[in-house]
Amino acid sequence: MPARRPIKNPHAEAEQFRRRAALGFAVVLLSLVGLAAWYFKLQVLEHADYATQSEANRIRPRPVVPARGMIYDRHGRLLAENLPAFRLEVTPDKAGDLDRLLEELGALIPLGEDEIEHFRKQRAGARGFHPITLKMRLSDEEMAAFAVNRWRFPGVEMEPYLTRHYPHGDLFTHVIGYVGRIDEQDLEQLGQGGNALTHIGKTGVERAYEELLRGKVGYERVETNVQGRALRTLGRVPAVPGSDLHLSIDAQLQAATVAAFGELEGTAVAMDPRTGEILAMVSLPSYDANLFVNGISHADYRALMDSPSRPQFNRAVLGGVAPGSTLKPFLALAGLDSGVRKPEDRTLSTGMFYLPGNSRGWGDSHRGGHGWTDARRSIADSVNTYYYQLALDMGITRIDAYLGRYGFGRPSGIDLAGEIGGILPSPEWKLKQRNERWYPGDTVNISIGQGDWKVTPLQLVRATGALADDGRLHRPHLVQARRDRFDAPWIPLPQPDPELISERPDNLQVVREGMEMTVHGPGGTARAMSVGAPYRMAGKTGTAQVVSRRGTAAVNPRSLPLHLRHRALFIGYAPAEDPQIAVAVAVEGGGYGGSTAAPIARAIFDAWLLGKLPEGLESIDAPVPDCAPDPTNCRAPAPAQGTAPAPAVAGESRR
């Protein structure tokens, strides 16, 4: 019997349909309510946030890097300037395959291995939307080639900027220093806003006055299209240019000092003893600071590092040497001021000096001795025995106290970073450094500037200036004044009051007379430098030993290889009756101060007091040759075009 089909229930089906329809309607209604709530959240509650994001997509803030301040010498000659240039920047997020980009771009514009390596290193630590410099300082040909093919390289742009340039090359490298590309350590120090900068002062005045020279970064609001191209500028917070600096350095005297050294290596510092202004500061050999501005190549850097002469080493600030006999005027003053000696007190020099019960002797500068010697003659003839006995009579504690007062054993305070304080020998220093006690023989050694001494030429010239300026110890400085705009007046930078090293003008006069006899006296160790001079000088020669004596035998420095020869030293000032310039000269491998260092000092004096330049040196203000095709290779005339000579500021010395 066939199965019976179920009978339909229209009411049940209708009820089921209504329930499903109601459920569906509820779902649709909830969805609409949720959508409406979401739209309300977007359009009302979060309108400001999304409007800001939309505006940020349309308007991009772009940093405006300020022009770096210029640097001038004391007469307005331009020493550091800014030149317009273009660099190549890559935005990784827009550039696509970077390896392919570098390959194709390298076929169009030469890219060095150093540039590619630096780019990859910067890319590893930067965000993709942040532009990274690929090549600095494009040539005219490279700019033209890229402009024609720009469409092939999305995310690559030519950006204008001002690059630092040093017109005098290596002449002022150890004074002005240089700027270099910012690294990670620099960014940490700069903090927020540092990403806008590409260069920062690395050495010299550029580093010491970085904040003044750098200025303040500004910003502009740029409207862009969907491709990110700039359409117009909507607003701007202007950048504040860096301040210009007016140095006390004289470019002509600097060039004359370098020429006076010839092929010799060493350092010289010239200072106005009345103010502490540094007139010239030379460390030889030097190097071209322009090499570092946009990134030095591995080859050039290796050549500098491998040079046994260490051209990057600033001998004037970092180079500590034993002062040798240049210490004698200061120890003589200490003996007089302490009351241990009177000017007329005499010491017998027989050629050798012995401590009681000691068979090892200390020789005098003349093997046969100098006979009876007073304070003045001890300086002029450089009589060691006078100082051997004086040091023993004073004692090391009293010596340290007086010589520390003269500026030894501490930085001079010059406005350059990294200056060392040298070594003022003492029992405490020897015990700490060598775990050894102090012996009377140590006192004898340090009395003539040997032993554990270490002084810088800056300390020597500062102390010499104090002798010349009636005992006033000035802080040496390079920067005289600043100005915040081109048309603004120069503002002198304040300097601390000088320290007084002696309250006895009569004792200072005794020392000055002894130094004048050194140059003009019949037995003076520097009498050869006075020949033909129309003015009188005062000075002291010195020899700093690099190798020790064997027993009591003296070593003839000329018999040694150059790198083992003694350093030749000279300190002095001129004119003797009205000092206007003080100098300290140290010649590496020079042998004797009187024959090597003193003639250099005489050339410096002549250049400053008489305007007489070393033979073969042309005036630095002479017209320069045609600068075409590359103006960066030409030295700027002085004063710079469009720049009035820097006016005299408070404390500027007369010539």
Side-chain angles (χ1 to χ4, degrees), residues 188-456:
E188 291 179 2
Q189 295 176 354
L190 291 172
Q192 188 176 6
N195 287 332
L197 302 170
T198 59
H199 291 73
I200 192 172
K202 298 289 187 178
T203 63
V205 170
E206 294 275 27
R207 177 182 173 185
Y209 290 87
E210 169 61 26
E211 291 189 11
L212 277 180
L213 290 166
R214 182 174 65 229
K216 295 182 179 179
V217 177
Y219 291 91
E220 59 185 11
R221 299 171 66 239
V222 180
E223 185 179 13
T224 61
N225 59 17
V226 292
Q227 284 81 30
R229 298 191 182 281
L231 299 178
R232 57 176 176 163
T233 300
L234 302 179
R236 173 183 298 224
V237 177
V240 179
S243 300
D244 295 335
L245 296 182
H246 178 217
L247 304 189
S248 59
I249 287 282
D250 184 285
Q252 187 65 76
L253 184 65
Q254 183 88 353
T257 303
V258 172
F261 270 84
E263 298 298 321
L264 297 172
E265 298 178 359
T267 181
V269 182
M271 185 186 79
D272 188 330
R274 301 162 297 182
T275 62
E277 297 169 2
I278 299 298
L279 307 176
M281 189 171 77
V282 167
S283 177
L284 297 172
S286 185
Y287 60 96
D288 189 350
N290 292 299
L291 292 173
F292 284 88
V293 173
N294 290 317
I296 188 171
S297 67
H298 280 304
D300 289 336
Y301 186 70
R302 181 50 53 194
L304 289 176
M305 295 300 292
D306 290 344
S307 172
S309 298
R310 298 186 297 168
Q312 289 184 270
F313 185 69
N314 189 345
R315 291 159 167 81
V317 177
L318 304 174
V321 299
S325 292
T326 60
L327 183 71
K328 291 174 180 176
F330 307 107
L331 189 57
L333 179 62
L336 296 172
D337 280 349
S338 65
V340 175
R341 288 289 186 275
K342 296 178 181 178
E344 62 274 11
D345 288 344
R346 298 190 302 167
T347 299
L348 179 62
S349 167
T350 61
M352 292 297 296
F353 178 84
Y354 296 93
L355 286 172
N358 196 327
S359 60
R360 181 190 185 278
W362 284 264
D364 224 319
S365 54
H366 288 174
R367 294 296 89 183
H370 298 266
W372 290 101
T373 304
D374 61 11
R376 294 178 179 84
R377 189 186 175 197
S378 74
I379 297 172
D381 295 1
S382 199
V383 183
N384 291 348
T385 299
Y386 181 92
Y387 295 96
Y388 296 150
Q389 190 61 58
L390 172 60
L392 291 173
D393 292 343
M394 286 187 66
I396 187 60
T397 301
R398 195 153 33 182
I399 290 174
D400 283 344
Y402 276 93
L403 294 183
R405 185 185 303 176
Y406 305 156
F408 297 111
R410 55 188 169 107
S412 69
I414 192 171
D415 42 353
L416 290 176
E419 181 191 9
I420 67 171
I423 298 174
L424 177 58
S426 68
E428 294 77 17
W429 180 90
K430 186 178 181 184
L431 183 63
K432 179 180 178 181
Q433 296 295 323
R434 300 182 181 176
N435 197 27
E436 297 177 1
R437 57 168 294 194
W438 189 267
Y439 296 98
D442 294 321
T443 303
V444 174
N445 281 335
I446 65 104
S447 70
I448 58 170
Q450 303 294 344
D452 293 321
W453 270 104
K454 182 176 286 188
V455 302
T456 65

Side-chain angles (χ1 to χ4, degrees), residues 74-142:
R74 69 188 297 114
H75 297 299
R77 302 181 181 99
L78 194 59
L79 306 183
E81 61 182 341
N82 302 315
L83 297 180
F86 284 84
R87 62 176 179 262
L88 209 58
E89 290 189 348
V90 178
T91 305
D93 282 356
K94 300 179 181 179
D97 187 345
L98 291 180
D99 291 333
R100 180 180 177 184
L101 172 72
L102 294 175
E103 181 180 352
E104 294 181 354
L105 196 57
L108 181 67
I109 298 175
L111 297 174
E113 294 182 3
D114 297 338
E115 293 168 329
I116 295 176
E117 180 182 347
H118 185 269
F119 172 79
R120 294 188 185 279
K121 185 182 298 184
Q122 293 294 106
R123 171 69 185 94
R127 297 182 178 181
F129 60 83
H130 189 274
I132 301 173
T133 301
L134 174 60
K135 185 178 181 65
M136 300 291 293
R137 197 69 186 273
L138 296 173
S139 66
D140 292 342
E141 293 77 11
E142 291 168 346

Side-chain angles (χ1 to χ4, degrees), residues 502-514:
S502 176
E503 297 178 353
R504 293 288 303 273
D506 54 336
N507 290 339
L508 284 166
Q509 184 60 26
V510 170
V511 173
R512 286 196 292 261
E513 289 173 1

